Amino acid sequence: MRRRGRAVDWERVGRALDARGCAVLEQLLTPDECEALALLYDVEDAFRSRVVMARHGFGRGEYKYFDHPLPEIVTELRGALYPCLAPIANRWNTAMGIDVRYPDAHADFLTRCHEAGQVRPTPLLLRYGVDDYNCLHQDLYGEQVFPLQVAILLSEPGQDFTGGEFLMTEQRPRMQSRAEVVPLRKGDAVVFAVHHRPVQGTRGTYRVNLRHGVSRVRAGMRHAVGIIFHDAA
């Protein structure tokens, strides 16, 4: 897993995040790894809670938050990706005039979360059926927030499901929202901004707010895993 993190062209990823607030990591997981993760959805003791989106106005479909101990592959993903994303997060905060800086190792950042009372794991497994969708939102779980997160598609578009595209919107001051559709294949990951990102304007750097979601699934079943680096209060 750490080898795969090192194999990514992180300069390319950084440029894409700077330009659009998202970047694709192709084939981060193998088909077998995708299928093994998707099958965990029916293993009840692997999770701490289940959320039915329609009950909360979040959309349609459902997701489950993993409980401790996290699946090994999820722990490895968090540990391997975080050190590559922390320099980007620190660079963004510098540009936006935010004083927070992130440590090099994910374990050290989790210690910061836990000291702030954020002790519940946030990685989650999502399942969408026909006509399910996820409303545009931001995953903020407490004072300690890592500004980038990762979603990995575990199903094959056109084979396991149709529709269900990953979506992002970006709201710039005094401008209409800009939408981004991110095409993914099975095993691909998208790295994206949790809350906001810096944009260089004619009068300096300013912040833009971003939200993400999933469009309506038209047929089949779509599974995805979300890798969030901060824990929840």
Side-chain angles (χ1 to χ4, degrees), residues 9-212:
D9 182 351
W10 290 105
E11 288 190 9
R12 176 192 63 81
V13 170
R15 290 193 299 270
L17 285 166
D18 288 344
R20 295 180 293 279
C22 61
V24 174
L25 310 181
E26 295 180 351
Q27 298 301 287
L28 187 66
L29 296 181
T30 67
D32 287 346
E33 290 168 334
C34 291
E35 290 159 19
L37 271 172
L39 287 172
L40 286 178
Y41 202 87
D42 294 320
V43 181
E44 291 301 325
D45 61 2
F47 302 94
R48 65 173 175 85
S49 65
R50 170 174 172 261
V51 177
V52 178
M53 296 187 205
R55 294 177 184 170
H56 306 277
F58 296 164
R60 281 189 50 169
E62 59 181 61
Y63 55 88
K64 295 180 178 180
Y65 287 104
F66 286 107
D67 201 356
H68 289 306
L70 296 174
E72 182 178 355
I73 194 168
V74 173
T75 298
E76 290 178 345
L77 282 164
R78 277 179 129 191
L81 297 175
Y82 172 92
C84 303
L85 295 172
I88 299 171
N90 285 329
R91 177 165 55 79
W92 278 13
N93 277 9
T94 298
M96 291 185 289
I98 298 172
D99 292 335
V100 175
R101 297 295 178 268
Y102 302 96
D104 294 335
H106 186 239
D108 293 334
F109 178 63
L110 284 182
T111 297
R112 184 185 297 180
C113 290
H114 297 169
E115 289 174 349
Q118 296 175 212
V119 297
R120 295 187 297 163
T122 51
L124 67 163
L125 195 58
L126 305 101
R127 183 171 73 183
Y128 304 84
V130 177
D131 286 334
D132 289 349
Y133 61 94
N134 199 345
C135 294
L136 295 167
H137 65 284
Q138 298 170 330
D139 293 312
L140 306 172
Y141 297 103
E143 179 182 349
Q144 299 296 325
V145 175
F146 189 72
L148 296 162
Q149 69 188 73
V150 177
I152 308 169
L153 185 61
L154 305 178
S155 309
E156 185 61 53
Q159 177 178 317
D160 299 323
F161 71 97
T162 59
E165 295 89 356
F166 182 88
L167 306 172
M168 290 193 69
T169 61
E170 179 178 275
Q171 180 61 61
R172 301 190 182 193
R174 299 176 296 281
M175 297 176 66
Q176 293 183 329
S177 296
R178 180 179 69 88
E180 181 87 13
V181 177
V182 182
L184 299 171
R185 308 300 301 182
K186 183 176 183 176
D188 288 352
V190 56
V191 184
F192 56 97
V194 173
H195 185 195
H196 47 232
R197 72 179 184 90
V199 171
Q200 184 64 42
T202 56
R203 298 183 180 179
T205 301
Y206 60 95
R207 304 181 195 182
V208 297
N209 287 311
L210 297 101
R211 297 180 183 274
H212 64 278

